[in-house]
Amino acid sequence: MQAERFRSWVLWKEEFSGNLAIFCSDERFANATFEFLRRHLGIERCDLMVVAGGPAFIPKNEIALMERVDLLLKAHEVKKVILIAHDDCGYYKHLHKDLPYQTIKRKQCEDLLAAITKLQAKGIQAKAFFAFVDSGEVVFEEVKP
Ligand SMILES: [Zn+2]
């Protein structure tokens, strides 16, 4: 019996781009996020860390995940990190069940800024965005201090 096999149309590229994108696993935002990275930021390729809650683990200093980030920063010579949080995030809603939408959003933005600060302390260039839905389309807005 032959094992199922698939051959990709994408050509192999050996080198790393030095980019890393960290965002939430929420599939509703995934394809728009890839488009945003490519079409708006000009990032054709990047390492990915896609976990529930996205960059929330950075200000929380979740050791297991921070070890993975540090490994990527070093092994793949990451210079630039893109952090993306999003509206209606199940991770934040689970953590803050009774808080109103605006308070959760503020918390997410504070976490993004704290994550930027932590990455900058490691000598990494970091940018953060908040994704939300407007008229059925996903919009990415930069989060700045
Ligand atoms: Zn989420």
Side-chain angles (χ1 to χ4, degrees), residues 24-26 28 51-54 86-92 108:
C24 183
S25 349
D26 193 323
R28 299 173 299 169
V51 293
H86 71 90
D87 205 5
D88 197 40
C89 183
Y91 172 85
Y92 278 90
Q108 287 177 282

